[in-house]
Amino acid sequence: IEPEYSKVVWSPRSNIALYGNTASVSLMERAGVPMALGTDWLPSGSANLLRELACAIELNETYFNTTFSDVQLWRMVTTNAAFVAGAQLSTGMLKSGLAGDLAVFRAGDLDAHSAVVRANPEDVVMVARGGQALYGDASLLASAALGTDGCEALDVCGAAKVACVAQDVSSSSLAMVQAATDAIYPLVLCGEPADEPTCVPYRAEYPDGVVDGDADGDG
C-alpha cells in the first residue's frame, strides 16, 4: 500500500451486507492510508452517518481490537472526509477562508469527540451550512441572532427541532420533503432502524461468530 497515492472511503455496513466482510482497515491504518467513513447507498448501507458510525464502532470494538479511537472516527467524518474527497481547500476544518459548515452535538456524559461519533439523532443541536443555521433545537433556532424565521417544526425522537428547508431551497418546504420521502423511507429514524442491513461479518472466516473464548469470532 502506498499511502501517498491511496485514499479510502470506508462503508462497513454496506460491505458486510453485500459481501460478508469489510476492508482491512486496521492494516490501512497502520500503513497510514487516509480514510473517510461513508454510508454508501440506502439498500445495503446505513440510513444516516450516525448509524454508519455505530456500525464502525461495533466492528472496531468487537473485531478490530479498538484500532481506532473516537477521535480517529471523528476525523473520518470531518477532516479526513474533506481530504479524501479532494475538498480540503474549501471544507473539513473550522478555519478562516473555508466554508462555515458546522454540526453541534449535545455532549451529555461523553467527552467532545465521543459525543459526536456516539450521538443519536435527537442529540444534534444545530446544523449550519455556509454559516447559516438550517436545522436544530427549536429553542436555539428561535434566537433572532440566527435569522431563522419561517422554519418548520419537526419532532425528532421526542426532541423539538426545526428544519429551515425554505431557507436552503426556496421552492421547497419540510412538508414537501416529508411527502416525497415517507413513501420510501422515514425522514426521521430513532434507535436501530427496522430492517437495517447487518453489521455482523458472516464469511467463512467467522465460523461460529463471537463466542466465549473467541472474542472476535475468527475461529
Side-chain angles (χ1 to χ4, degrees):
I1 298 174
E2 297 290 342
E4 63 268 34
Y5 302 118
S6 304
K7 297 181 177 67
V8 170
V9 179
W10 181 35
S11 302
R13 191 182 301 280
S14 187
N15 293 166
I16 290 169
L18 292 173
Y19 312 116
N21 207 348
T22 189
S24 300
V25 289
S26 297
L27 172 62
M28 294 178 193
E29 169 62 23
R30 290 193 294 272
V33 175
M35 280 184 285
L37 185 75
T39 60
D40 200 5
W41 67 330
L42 192 57
S44 63
S46 298
N48 54 55
L49 196 50
L50 292 178
R51 289 304 303 164
E52 194 71 14
L53 279 162
C55 178
I57 289 169
E58 180 181 345
L59 291 170
N60 185 46
E61 294 178 349
T62 305
Y63 300 97
F64 302 157
N65 195 31
T66 319
T67 294
F68 304 102
S69 67
D70 283 358
V71 175
Q72 289 172 297
L73 292 169
W74 171 81
R75 288 196 181 111
M76 286 185 192
V77 295
T78 53
T79 306
N80 283 17
F83 274 84
V84 168
Q88 69 272 17
L89 298 181
S90 60
T91 190
M93 293 172 280
L94 296 178
K95 182 178 177 181
S96 178
L98 272 61
D101 297 343
L102 178 69
V104 180
F105 294 81
R106 184 169 290 103
D109 297 327
L110 300 173
D111 66 26
H113 299 94
S114 297
V116 175
V117 302
R118 297 174 185 270
N120 293 308
E122 61 269 27
D123 299 321
V124 182
V125 174
M126 186 183 74
V127 176
R129 190 169 63 116
Q132 180 180 23
L134 295 174
Y135 169 83
D137 286 355
S139 57
L140 175 63
L141 269 66
S143 169
L146 293 177
T148 53
D149 292 339
C151 302
E152 299 168 82
L154 178 65
D155 181 281
V156 176
C157 309
K161 309 285 186 181
V162 293
C164 312
V165 177
Q167 291 193 25
D168 187 33
V169 182
S170 59
S171 60
S172 189
S173 67
L174 176 60
M176 292 170 65
V177 172
Q178 287 185 300
T181 60
D182 282 354
I184 303 169
Y185 211 72
L187 184 62
V188 176
L189 294 160
C190 305
E192 184 175 324
D195 301 321
E196 182 178 64
T198 184
C199 191
V200 179
Y202 57 86
R203 273 192 180 179
E205 54 262 44
Y206 303 100
D208 301 311
V210 175
V211 295
D212 290 342
D214 186 6
D216 63 0
D218 66 357

